[in-house]
Amino acid sequence: MRILPIALIMAAALAIPSTADAQSLFDRAKKKAKEKLEQTLNNAGAKPQNKTKKTAEQTSRSNSSNSGSGTSSSGFTEEEQDLYTPVDMRDMHVGTIHPGIALKNGWHYGPRETPQTAYVTINGDVYDFGNFYDGLAHISSYEDGDFYIDMKGNKVLESGMDGDLRYGPRFNNGVVMEIRKVNTNEFPQRSHAMILDKKGNVIKEFNTDMASNFEDGVAVVVFETKAKTLREDDTWTLKYVDTKGNFIFPNLWFTSKSVSPSVAVRQMMRSSREGLTPYVIYDDNQRAYLWGFHDGKGNVVIKPKYLAVRDFHDGLAAVCHFPTDKGSGAEPRWGYVDKSGKEVIPAKYTVMPSDFDSGMARVLTRDLDAYIIDKTGRQIFGPAKRWPKEGMEDPGYYISPFFNGMAVLGYRAESCNNGEMIYYSPIDTNFNKLAWTRFENSNATMSNSGDPVHWQDVSDPVYYSEEEGLLYVKPGRADAGGWLIVDPKTLDEKQSNVLFSYPHVSGLSRYFDNVGNRGYVNTDGEYVIKFVKNEF
């Protein structure tokens, strides 16, 4: 059921010649709209109230936001707030997420410069810049080339990186792996993988142009053995090295002649989690990469046999099995294993599930309806429906994965002034709502899809940053850019209307906008480092 927007009611009322008749029409229409809303909530199991009961905190928040105009920060009068507030939520804390950012006005407040902001002068434009790892970040510019800066904005080291920054160099345990061109008389000029320290000293150089970044002090280097004849395939051997360039973990080395690992090698290194680290081999018979787990000494704990694996969380890891059917429509399926490799939840999910947290995980149907399951695979909550199809009146629901015992529940309630209205509530492990807030715009969407493994693939409107322990919420469409940082218990903004481009790593977020601003921003929405063009 849809509620007639207040703005349309007012427009209709103002079109009537008689002021008294217009006011009467407005009052009747508003009363009717409120009755429809309460009827909708009644049908959903909520009990209507004749009078709004406000907590002291809400009253104080309302008084501080009215600024003498009779309207709240969201633009609603107190009566309109009552009209659009779900009856069963009127005694709860109201979150302070501002919905209008970059949606109603087409713009937002950018990060703030402070006296502590460090400025890095560039001759031209910065076209890409990485996160800070081990205190340094890799920068690429058109005029100044590649270099590293520290967290104060000082240029500390030139980079000779010859490659794609998306898989670019990251310091780890005091060293970095770079692919650099070498001075030879050969044509075309060759590139070598090199391990460098923070002073630029070369620790080890390898006769190959394929290597991964370091994770937990370990990297992979790929060596190619050229075939003697055109009818033979080239052979590739992947070996693990430590920060000094010594070969380690011989049990994990593998050789393949079926595929070039030039792209995969840059993505295969994963960090250890709960004592186990994902690793990959290439199986020439199945012509596929297979994932397993090893311990900190390189011993194989779970043999590589999965198409994909997530990290261990709460003692379990989601793993993707090969299709059991051989037909063209056969699909891989996800299940969960424990640290011994025992399958504890059968592989029956066609869509990748979430990690476990507090004994619960989110799984999705083919239609992206969501359920919460326990460690036995039993469904304990759901289904949370995704957006309804065109023409349906069902409001649609959303639930995020759990993180540190918290999740976010959302649903599409009714139409409002600017389009659809969406309510979000943080919930605890007993599925109790702790607070609520809403988005009032025409672009907000809810989707249960998304891959929380890689930030770039996330399409959930809610994202938890495990490294920094922060909750990010999209104020607009789930596939649109820009995130707000909010308190996971109250959904209050933790900064002032800044849409962050990326999550925070080492306490800083990479920020950019469409007018050329680039830099690193802290969780308070302040520039810590900002790139500026040399004006001369």
Side-chain angles (χ1 to χ4, degrees), residues 91-108:
D91 292 334
M92 292 185 185
H93 174 84
V94 182
T96 58
I97 295 178
H98 291 77
I101 305 171
L103 298 172
K104 294 179 181 178
N105 301 322
W107 57 273
H108 63 278

Side-chain angles (χ1 to χ4, degrees), residues 248-442:
I248 58 173
F249 299 170
N251 292 335
L252 305 181
W253 296 358
F254 71 92
T255 299
S256 172
K257 61 180 180 180
S258 297
V259 66
S260 169
S262 58
V263 175
V265 68
R266 305 182 192 277
Q267 302 174 346
M268 65 183 290
M269 293 304 299
R270 302 261 291 272
S271 295
S272 176
R273 176 80 190 195
E274 297 187 0
L276 294 179
T277 306
Y279 81 103
V280 68
I281 67 169
Y282 189 85
D283 188 286
D284 287 309
N285 294 324
Q286 300 191 63
R287 301 186 69 85
Y289 285 100
L290 304 180
W291 287 87
F293 292 88
H294 69 81
D295 63 18
K297 296 182 179 180
N299 300 313
V300 176
V301 178
I302 300 176
K303 292 182 179 180
K305 59 180 179 179
Y306 303 108
L307 284 174
V309 298
R310 294 179 63 85
D311 295 335
F312 272 92
H313 285 257
D314 217 359
L316 299 180
V319 295
C320 185
H321 293 254
F322 277 88
T324 55
D325 301 327
K326 301 300 182 182
S328 59
E331 297 176 287
R333 292 180 181 271
W334 289 82
Y336 290 88
V337 297
D338 63 18
K339 291 185 178 180
S340 69
K342 179 183 176 182
E343 184 179 88
V344 295
I345 298 178
K348 61 180 180 180
Y349 305 110
T350 53
V351 182
M352 186 181 66
S354 76
D355 298 321
F356 267 89
D357 179 272
S358 304
M360 294 180 288
R362 187 187 73 176
V363 297
L364 304 172
T365 68
R366 294 176 186 272
D367 292 331
L368 302 184
D369 297 338
Y371 290 88
I372 300 298
I373 62 172
D374 63 17
K375 286 190 173 182
T376 68
R378 180 173 62 95
Q379 296 173 359
I380 58 177
F381 181 89
K385 296 283 187 179
R386 70 167 181 169
W387 268 103
K389 293 181 174 63
E390 189 68 27
M392 293 178 62
E393 294 296 330
D394 180 25
Y397 291 85
Y398 161 82
I399 189 169
S400 74
F402 274 85
F403 177 77
N404 288 344
M406 302 284 297
V408 175
L409 181 69
Y411 65 94
R412 175 182 172 212
E414 74 275 335
S415 298
C416 67
N417 300 36
N418 299 284
E420 304 300 336
M421 183 177 293
I422 295 177
Y423 293 90
Y424 285 108
S425 290
I427 58 175
D428 60 21
T429 53
N430 293 317
F431 303 98
N432 296 316
K433 297 177 182 177
L434 306 179
W436 68 276
T437 191
R438 65 183 166 217
F439 291 147
E440 303 139 5
N441 61 74
S442 59

Side-chain angles (χ1 to χ4, degrees), residues 7 52 85 88 120 159 176 290 319 442 518:
T52 300
T85 299
D88 62 340
V120 178
S159 170
V176 66
L290 304 180
V319 295
S442 59
R518 301 285 189 276

Side-chain angles (χ1 to χ4, degrees), residues 63-121:
N63 291 339
S64 65
S65 62
N66 283 342
S67 304
S69 64
T71 59
S72 70
S73 60
S74 63
F76 287 90
T77 66
E78 186 173 328
E79 290 77 13
E80 291 169 345
Q81 290 280 8
D82 290 345
L83 176 62
Y84 287 123
T85 299
V87 177
D88 62 340
M89 294 184 182
R90 290 180 179 175
D91 292 334
M92 292 185 185
H93 174 84
V94 182
T96 58
I97 295 178
H98 291 77
I101 305 171
L103 298 172
K104 294 179 181 178
N105 301 322
W107 57 273
H108 63 278
Y109 296 107
R112 300 177 299 278
E113 298 179 46
T114 71
Q116 289 72 42
T117 299
Y119 297 93
V120 178
T121 302

Side-chain angles (χ1 to χ4, degrees), residues 144-291:
D144 295 342
D146 293 2
F147 55 92
Y148 295 90
I149 61 172
D150 62 21
M151 299 186 77
K152 295 182 179 180
N154 300 311
K155 298 180 181 180
V156 296
L157 180 64
E158 294 295 327
S159 170
M161 185 65 184
D162 178 29
D164 190 339
L165 188 62
R166 288 179 300 167
Y167 313 108
R170 302 188 305 191
F171 269 89
N172 179 273
N173 288 17
V175 299
V176 66
M177 183 78 76
E178 281 203 4
I179 310 299
R180 290 190 171 191
K181 291 182 178 180
V182 293
N183 294 322
T184 68
N185 296 323
E186 299 179 22
F187 182 83
Q189 194 174 36
R190 301 181 64 188
S191 296
H192 282 177
M194 302 178 186
I195 301 176
L196 298 94
D197 63 19
K198 289 188 175 182
K199 294 182 179 180
N201 299 314
V202 177
I203 298 174
K204 189 68 174 287
E205 181 175 339
F206 302 97
N207 186 23
T208 177
D209 61 356
M210 284 186 287
S212 74
N213 279 310
F214 280 94
E215 291 286 348
D216 299 328
V218 178
V220 165
V221 180
V222 184
F223 298 94
E224 178 185 10
T225 301
K226 289 290 186 179
K228 295 181 179 180
T229 68
L230 295 177
R231 294 182 180 182
E232 296 177 348
D233 295 324
D234 294 343
T235 299
W236 307 86
T237 300
L238 286 80
K239 297 183 179 182
Y240 288 80
V241 298
D242 61 18
T243 56
K244 295 182 180 180
N246 300 315
F247 293 112
I248 58 173
F249 299 170
N251 292 335
L252 305 181
W253 296 358
F254 71 92
T255 299
S256 172
K257 61 180 180 180
S258 297
V259 66
S260 169
S262 58
V263 175
V265 68
R266 305 182 192 277
Q267 302 174 346
M268 65 183 290
M269 293 304 299
R270 302 261 291 272
S271 295
S272 176
R273 176 80 190 195
E274 297 187 0
L276 294 179
T277 306
Y279 81 103
V280 68
I281 67 169
Y282 189 85
D283 188 286
D284 287 309
N285 294 324
Q286 300 191 63
R287 301 186 69 85
Y289 285 100
L290 304 180
W291 287 87

